[in-house]
Amino acid sequence: MGPPIVFIHGIRVSGTMWDPVRAHLTSPSAAPDLPGHGSRRGMPYDMDAACEVVAGCITDLGGRALVAGLSLGGYVGIATAARHPALVAGLVAMGCTAKPTGSRAAVYRLAGRLAARNPSLAGRLSVYGFRRALPGPVAEAFAAGGVSCEVMPSVVEAVTAEDPLASLAAYPGRVWLVNGSRDPFRVDEQEFLRACARGSLTHLPGRGHLTVLADPARIARFIESAARAGDSMTSMETFAP
């Protein structure tokens, strides 16, 4: 068995989004809520605080873990790997290979401000979107911990202040970049791959940004295989969902 696995959730949702995947694991795992989300709703968000939550969770699991994150969770995973490389046994970064700069950052800021103006409405629209895009149990897991749209502006500012390419270059461990083939967040994936000291890239055909989690059992197998791979350089194809 490989190391434990720490899952990091996306923006405005909580660790419950990973429950359908974790249900298929044999490895120990945890999915902490980041500041301002879920059980930590109301707490201020910044990237250092988010990384400390992840690092603390890894410490609680024994001091070394594979980290897996989607979207915001992927960016937080990258930042954590750079800040705490000794704790991160490997990184599965999903749906997070778009550089948060330039006009893209401006769009994110606008979306965050709009959501924060009416968090209740934005939350309801988010849940509606989850239910339209994802299978029933997966969609409900996304919504189960609450939807914290008021935190979105501070999350966007924290992410856009980071340099994920430099963070990937600073991390010496294995990195699995995973993108749905229809995910717009894969736009800079080749730059992200080149930044990795020991990286691989996998596409999930026909999947979008959230629908990479539409088949939780396959994602669980993928992530557990990555955890078991440890420091080996086994081909990524071995683990393709």
Side-chain angles (χ1 to χ4, degrees), residues 146-241:
V147 183
S148 307
C149 292
E150 68 278 359
V151 78
M152 290 178 65
S154 57
V155 171
V156 170
E157 290 306 314
V159 171
T160 55
E162 292 288 309
D163 184 345
L165 297 180
S167 293
L168 285 171
Y171 174 60
R174 291 284 308 271
V175 178
W176 291 265
L177 301 175
V178 181
N179 287 323
S181 64
R182 298 179 179 176
D183 187 352
F185 278 79
R186 57 173 284 209
V187 63
D188 299 313
E189 61 186 14
Q190 292 299 326
E191 288 187 64
F192 277 67
L193 180 60
R194 287 192 295 271
C196 298
R198 304 169 67 197
S200 298
L201 173 64
T202 291
H203 291 146
L204 280 66
R207 299 299 193 192
H209 187 60
L210 296 181
T211 55
V212 293
L213 297 187
D215 189 338
R218 287 192 173 188
I219 292 298
R221 289 197 298 271
F222 181 98
I223 291 172
E224 274 200 314
S225 294
R228 288 195 299 269
D231 292 329
S232 72
M233 286 302 291
T234 307
S235 168
M236 193 61 204
E237 311 307 323
T238 306
F239 311 129

Side-chain angles (χ1 to χ4, degrees), residues 60-128:
D60 290 344
L61 287 173
R64 191 163 167 80
L66 180 89
V67 173
L70 172 65
S71 193
L72 169 64
Y75 289 110
V76 173
I78 290 169
T80 301
R83 287 165 168 81
H84 303 283
L87 298 181
V88 179
L91 172 65
V92 178
M94 307 172 69
C96 60
T97 53
K99 292 185 290 187
T101 57
S103 59
R104 195 175 298 131
V107 171
Y108 301 157
R109 290 189 177 99
L110 176 60
R113 288 196 299 269
L114 291 174
R117 286 178 185 173
N118 192 334
S120 178
L121 174 60
R124 291 195 299 272
L125 291 173
S126 294
V127 172
Y128 175 79

